[in-house]
Amino acid sequence: MSPWLRRGLALAAGALAATGFEPFGAWPLTIIAIAVLIWLIGEAPNRRAAFGTGWLFGWSHFAVGLTWIATAFTYQAKMPAALGWVAVIGLAMFLALYTGFAALIASFGRSRLGRALLLAPAWMLGEWLRGHLLSGFAWNPLGVALIDTGVAQLASAFGGLGLSGLVVLAGGAVAIGATYNRVTAMLTFGALCGFTLLAGVLVPDALPPTTTIVHLVQPDIGQSEKYDPALEQEHFRRYLTLTRNALAAPHAPAIVAWPEAAIPFEVEDDPQVRAVLASVLKPGDLLMFGGEALVRDTHGEITAATNSLFVLDSAGILHGRYDKAHLVPLGEYVPARGIMEAIGLARLTPGDIDFLPGPGPRTLALPGFPAAGIQICYEMIFPAQVVDEAHRPAWILNVSNDAWFGPSGPVQHLAQARLRAIEEGLPVARATPTGVSALIDPRGRLLHTVAPHVMGVISAPLPAPLPPTPFAHFAHWTSLAFGLLLAAAAAWTSRRRI
């Protein structure tokens, strides 16, 4: 095979693999694309070419899956909007290093089976590393392509990383079957039939809901108007009206959730704002909403802020605050600000002061209601980092502002929230300004949604949690055990020359 043909096929296969993510959800194409990658690694004449093949695959894979980042740059005026596409291509080139190294490791396999068994744990390791190094960016793990299949339930044992390993193994089965050897073809057919069967039968029955009613408010406030001072009061009234209407009928105490950064006013130091918020609640109700907490120096000057969630009761009393811990570079703070500003880079969101990170996952005690774990925006994409293990909550509230994520970002974000629900065995409630707001059961199923760019409120009972899953108990140790098992199998096949 000519080098140019191999490179072109690697680029095409990487783009094809990204169609398994939302909004396409074509997971069989992702498996086929991985099969092509395994075949191309075997066609590489040397280790360097194998790395390059994996890098080209990853470059197109991430570039196609992360186009929503370019949309985010259109909502600010400090930098050219075209810089968004530079960011997509540049980030994809960096993330492709992980797939390049995975392909390099796989190239040590002596057969397609050996390469598949090496590529799976190497890919899992790469996903773990990109979720931790340089602040981490764990968006779109390969396994999330399976979120609408029963196979996704295995994330409760092996996590999202384990699902990614399964996708690679399924691709390996296709690659092996393509050898047209009768025995391997039969084994491959049987493996894929078993995989398909699991996809259909691993979905368990629904659980009975709790008596806790939640109202998830989606006001349909777009990013282009969110920070317009002239619309500030109108947006505030919209939140209040939607909440008042949701709580209009006689009801037992309920929880109302507003999205990330719903309130542009100071809350902790302004009793008037708290009184207005409390006016739409009835005794026993709680309002959970996103806003900012300001950090001041000894002279009272504002030096920083936190991206926070507040809990308020009908008397205007605050019952807790969670500060976002995993901040978005260039979205909520500017890393190496002096250098970045010198080359013309700034924050994508308004404001000149940086946000400070909170201490990490925290469970908030809610008077009269089950305790909640809080995740703000893209914190939800990091497996094993969404729950305070010492104080396990009964559910997770994920407030987010997906309005600047373009058409593909919000649905990809939702899919990853569903994956976290399966891993932890906890229901997830999502409140976003433009969608997709959703109520998710602890098996990752969508119970209720509000479509993108629609104003509405989800009013429904909160699903009951499951007992702690193996992944909730052991986190990535289960993924590591699965990866080591695959590596051991690869070593065994190498010694046996299979």
Side-chain angles (χ1 to χ4, degrees):
M1 179 185 294
S2 74
W4 289 108
L5 178 58
R6 188 181 69 255
R7 293 164 187 161
L9 288 174
L11 286 169
L16 184 69
T19 63
F21 303 136
E22 297 293 342
F24 307 106
W27 61 268
L29 296 183
T30 300
I31 292 174
I32 292 172
I34 293 295
V36 173
L37 174 62
I38 293 170
W39 170 60
L40 291 174
I41 293 171
E43 293 294 313
N46 51 52
R47 308 284 185 224
R48 181 177 178 180
F51 174 87
T53 297
W55 186 87
L56 288 170
F57 180 98
W59 182 30
S60 61
H61 175 69
F62 290 114
V64 171
L66 299 175
T67 54
W68 56 269
I69 292 177
T71 307
F73 279 75
T74 65
Y75 294 114
Q76 52 78 43
K78 295 179 180 179
M79 296 176 285
L83 193 60
W85 288 107
V86 176
V88 170
I89 298 302
L91 180 59
M93 292 173 69
F94 169 72
L95 296 177
L97 293 174
Y98 295 110
T99 57
F101 280 114
L104 174 62
I105 293 171
S107 69
F108 286 89
R110 298 183 179 182
S111 65
R112 291 188 185 180
L113 175 59
R115 287 189 285 275
L117 289 173
L118 284 174
L119 183 62
W123 193 290
M124 292 167 61
L125 176 61
E127 287 193 347
W128 184 87
L129 288 172
R130 73 178 174 94
H132 289 80
L133 297 182
L134 300 176
S135 87
F137 187 70
W139 195 272
N140 276 352
L142 197 64
V144 81
L146 301 177
I147 193 62
D148 283 318
T149 74
V151 177
Q153 300 304 312
L154 295 177
S156 64
F158 303 113
L161 296 183
L163 284 187
S164 296
L166 286 175
V167 172
V168 174
L169 290 180
V174 173
I176 294 166
T179 61
Y180 299 107
N181 177 286
R182 180 175 298 179
V183 175
T184 58
M186 290 178 63
L187 290 174
T188 299
F189 181 74
L192 290 177
C193 284
F195 188 86
T196 305
L197 182 64
L198 283 175
V201 304
L202 282 181
V203 180
D205 295 332
L207 293 172
T210 68
T211 57
T212 299
I213 301 298
V214 294
H215 303 280
L216 307 176
V217 176
Q218 180 170 302
D220 190 26
I221 298 173
Q223 192 71 6
S224 59
E225 57 179 312
K226 179 176 177 61
Y227 295 104
D228 186 344
L231 298 174
E232 204 170 75
Q233 292 296 330
E234 178 186 331
H235 294 163
F236 192 34
R237 285 193 295 270
R238 187 180 302 181
Y239 276 111
L240 294 174
T241 299
L242 288 170
T243 301
R244 189 179 291 111
N245 292 343
L247 297 174
H251 65 279
I255 296 173
V256 180
W258 293 359
E260 175 189 18
I263 298 299
F265 317 113
E266 287 193 57
V267 176
E268 292 179 312
D269 299 328
D270 194 332
Q272 280 191 311
V273 171
R274 296 200 301 272
V276 174
L277 292 169
S279 68
V280 298
L281 304 177
K282 296 179 180 179
D285 294 337
L286 289 181
L287 175 63
M288 305 176 72
F289 59 93
E292 294 182 6
L294 301 179
V295 179
R296 303 177 187 272
D297 61 19
T298 55
H299 303 290
E301 296 294 325
I302 299 173
T303 58
T306 59
N307 186 351
S308 303
L309 177 127
F310 303 89
V311 180
L312 185 85
D313 68 13
S314 60
I317 299 172
L318 290 173
H319 287 273
R321 187 184 101 195
Y322 169 80
D323 298 331
K324 184 178 181 181
H326 214 129
L327 302 177
V328 183
L330 294 183
E332 293 165 312
Y333 72 100
V334 180
R337 178 179 283 273
I339 298 174
M340 292 295 187
E341 289 182 341
I343 62 176
L345 294 178
R347 267 178 46 185
L348 295 176
T349 53
D352 296 320
I353 61 173
D354 285 341
F355 285 89
L356 294 179
R362 179 186 173 196
T363 299
L364 294 183
L366 306 178
F369 298 101
I374 312 298
Q375 292 290 289
I376 297 179
C377 199
Y378 105 134
E379 287 186 309
M380 199 63 181
I381 72 172
F382 296 95
Q385 299 180 46
V386 299
V387 169
D388 179 358
E389 297 176 2
H391 305 90
R392 178 175 164 86
W395 61 295
I396 298 173
L397 174 61
N398 176 213
V399 296
S400 183
N401 177 17
D402 292 355
W404 60 327
F405 284 10
S408 61
V411 287
Q412 291 176 6
H413 200 188
L414 174 63
Q416 292 168 94
R418 295 171 63 190
L419 189 54
R420 298 292 88 77
I422 297 171
E423 288 174 343
E424 300 293 341
L426 294 174
V428 174
R430 297 192 79 237
T432 72
T434 57
V436 180
S437 298
L439 188 61
I440 306 166
D441 80 358
R443 288 168 178 143
R445 291 176 292 199
L446 294 172
L447 302 180
H448 306 278
T449 61
V450 180
H453 307 294
V454 172
M455 186 190 308
V457 179
I458 294 173
S459 298
L462 188 70
L466 293 172
T469 63
F471 187 83
H473 274 300
F474 303 108
H476 286 308
W477 290 108
T478 61
S479 307
L480 176 63
F482 182 48
L484 290 175
L485 178 64
L486 294 175
W492 182 82
T493 59
S494 177
R495 292 168 59 182
R496 296 274 180 166
R497 298 185 179 275
I498 296 176

